[in-house]
Amino acid sequence: MSAKPMLTIHPQARDSIKKLGLQGPLKKHFSQIPFQIDLSNNTNPLSPYLPNYPMIDPLELKQLYLDFIGNESLTPENLLFTVGSADGIDLILRGFAQPPSDVICVTDPTYFAYEHWATLYDLPIKKIPLTGDNFEDISVKNIKNIDPKIFILCNPNNPTGTQVRTETIENICQTINGLVVIDEAYIEFSDQESAAKMLHKYDNLVILRTLSKAWGMAGARCGIILADKRIINTLLYVQAPFSFSIPTQDSVREGLTHSTPLKQSWEIIKQERDKLVQSLKGLSCVSKVYPSQSNFVMVILKDFDKTFARLLNRGIYVASCRWAIPSAIRISVSTKNNNQALLQALDECAIDGPLSCDIPSTPQGIKREGTGTL
């Protein structure tokens, strides 16, 4: 006879999840077994190298984050820490999508990882185009016709940097029965209110966050899922125990406790982003600059090969987005000096003269600068 879950799971969870019991460490935690000395972990108590497992359910850190985002309708039961937001995508697909029948719906263009994980799990993928001059619109009717088990929207979107309106997201939540997953990896740079404000209204809404981007903690590998507690409970049956490590917990605690300088840096980056957008619009090698609600800017080049080669010859690497949009590049907002070096190199692309379009395999004189004071 199969073990029954100890935690109430979401009705749309995969059938196999409904047959599982919690893994040993989680069972010990959530059953609240009283003990004073734990002799069940089989670790070396004499080791000086972190012999104890990390906390299974770090309530203090969860509350710190909820206090930071100011969402009083959420409790720690609505939050799950993950190994980056990519891990969150993986957990949701494994917890809720049954291959090969359940359909995953994504936008076009968008972040490649959604399609990557869905393909890995033999889940059929349907794409809905983002429309409008700035990729800010989407057909809710088309999403409804697909009837996906999971719809994923990156908002603000990568690589466009633009954003679908909150009202549209609410319409999607009301229209489809499946999960509506909103990846808010860049929400700290947006002027639009987070969709997390609607979590108390829709039990099919899931918010993904990361501390890699705006928080600058990519090396810590920490993501966050905000959702109905039954969705969080379901994912606990899927997630590997102890994946939220002690060093990562310490880094997150430090970041949340001393967040003021970081929040100030977000405003500086937004100001630099807006200046960069205006400067890019004045360059003759640029065909279009998209408005951005993130910490990067998407640009359409008039001559992609020449301009991309010019940048590489100057030791400047930007992301090619030709896989999604012809002649498009994505530029991360950086320091003032780095931004100015980019603008100067792009300005020189307007100068007539021969330039090899071969991308150098080992560009000379590159000084790798990705961080610093703006």
Side-chain angles (χ1 to χ4, degrees), residues 107 130-140 143 151 153-157 161-173 180 182 184 187 190-196 198 202 205 207 291 293:
T107 63
L130 291 169
T131 58
D133 292 340
N134 298 314
F135 300 101
E136 73 276 28
D137 295 323
I138 189 169
S139 171
V140 179
I143 299 172
F151 169 71
L153 173 68
C154 188
N155 209 48
N157 187 37
T162 54
Q163 199 161 13
V164 171
R165 290 179 293 275
T166 304
E167 295 80 5
T168 303
I169 295 172
E170 185 161 20
N171 192 2
I172 296 170
C173 291
V180 178
I182 309 299
E184 294 188 338
I187 194 64
S190 172
D191 296 327
Q192 180 171 296
E193 188 174 55
S194 166
M198 302 186 295
Y202 303 106
L205 178 61
I207 306 296
Q293 289 290 305

Side-chain angles (χ1 to χ4, degrees), residues 105-369:
C105 182
V106 300
T107 63
D108 184 25
T110 197
Y111 182 44
F112 68 89
Y114 314 137
E115 184 173 356
H116 174 91
W117 290 113
T119 301
L120 182 66
Y121 296 131
D122 294 321
L123 294 164
I125 303 158
K126 298 290 184 180
K127 297 183 180 182
I128 299 291
L130 291 169
T131 58
D133 292 340
N134 298 314
F135 300 101
E136 73 276 28
D137 295 323
I138 189 169
S139 171
V140 179
K141 179 181 178 181
N142 287 347
I143 299 172
K144 180 181 180 180
N145 290 339
I146 291 173
D147 190 27
K149 184 64 176 290
I150 301 174
F151 169 71
I152 307 175
L153 173 68
C154 188
N155 209 48
N157 187 37
N158 180 7
T160 65
T162 54
Q163 199 161 13
V164 171
R165 290 179 293 275
T166 304
E167 295 80 5
T168 303
I169 295 172
E170 185 161 20
N171 192 2
I172 296 170
C173 291
Q174 295 169 347
T175 302
I176 69 172
N177 295 318
L179 297 189
V180 178
V181 179
I182 309 299
D183 186 348
E184 294 188 338
Y186 303 96
I187 194 64
E188 291 88 352
F189 301 109
S190 172
D191 296 327
Q192 180 171 296
E193 188 174 55
S194 166
K197 294 291 186 181
M198 302 186 295
L199 280 168
H200 69 286
K201 296 171 62 177
Y202 303 106
D203 63 4
N204 62 337
L205 178 61
V206 182
I207 306 296
L208 295 181
R209 296 280 182 86
T210 179
L211 299 190
S212 295
K213 307 300 184 183
W215 287 80
M217 295 172 61
R221 307 310 302 133
C222 180
I224 292 162
I225 298 177
L226 301 172
D228 182 276
K229 69 178 183 180
R230 295 172 301 169
I231 292 177
I232 300 299
N233 290 348
T234 301
L235 299 179
L236 286 170
Y237 287 87
V238 182
Q239 187 179 46
F242 308 123
S243 57
F244 190 31
S245 71
I246 291 175
T248 298
Q249 291 188 27
D250 290 341
S251 297
V252 172
R253 184 177 295 103
E254 178 70 15
L256 288 170
T257 306
H258 303 94
S259 60
T260 299
L262 198 62
K263 291 170 67 176
Q264 293 171 344
S265 74
W266 300 345
E267 294 305 314
I268 296 172
I269 290 172
K270 288 164 69 174
Q271 293 170 11
E272 288 297 315
R273 174 197 68 197
D274 295 343
K275 292 177 184 177
L276 183 62
V277 166
Q278 292 305 314
S279 297
L280 288 166
K281 288 180 178 179
L283 297 176
S284 59
C285 65
V286 170
S287 176
K288 179 170 182 175
V289 182
Y290 285 86
S292 176
Q293 289 290 305
S294 60
N295 65 334
F296 56 84
V297 181
M298 191 174 76
V299 174
I300 306 297
L301 301 173
K302 292 180 180 178
D303 187 333
F304 181 94
D305 291 329
K306 174 184 175 181
T307 306
F308 201 82
R310 170 75 72 181
L311 292 176
L312 282 178
N313 277 297
R314 291 292 298 271
I316 299 171
Y317 188 79
V318 295
S320 168
C321 298
R322 285 204 291 188
W323 55 270
I325 301 165
S327 299
I329 60 172
R330 190 192 66 203
I331 302 168
S332 295
V333 179
S334 185
T335 64
K336 288 182 178 179
N337 288 342
N338 287 348
N339 294 341
Q340 190 57 44
L342 167 81
L343 292 169
Q344 182 176 344
L346 288 173
D347 192 40
E348 291 176 357
C349 289
I351 301 174
D352 292 334
L355 174 66
S356 170
C357 289
D358 295 331
I359 297 175
S361 57
T362 310
Q364 299 298 314
I366 291 183
K367 184 179 180 182
R368 301 190 182 277
E369 295 185 67

Side-chain angles (χ1 to χ4, degrees), residues 51-75:
N52 296 317
Y53 285 105
M55 292 179 63
I56 287 284
D57 192 25
L59 296 177
E60 169 220 1
L61 281 184
K62 290 183 175 184
Q63 192 59 57
L64 273 176
Y65 185 78
L66 294 176
D67 291 342
F68 177 84
I69 65 175
N71 195 326
E72 297 179 357
S73 66
L74 301 179
T75 72

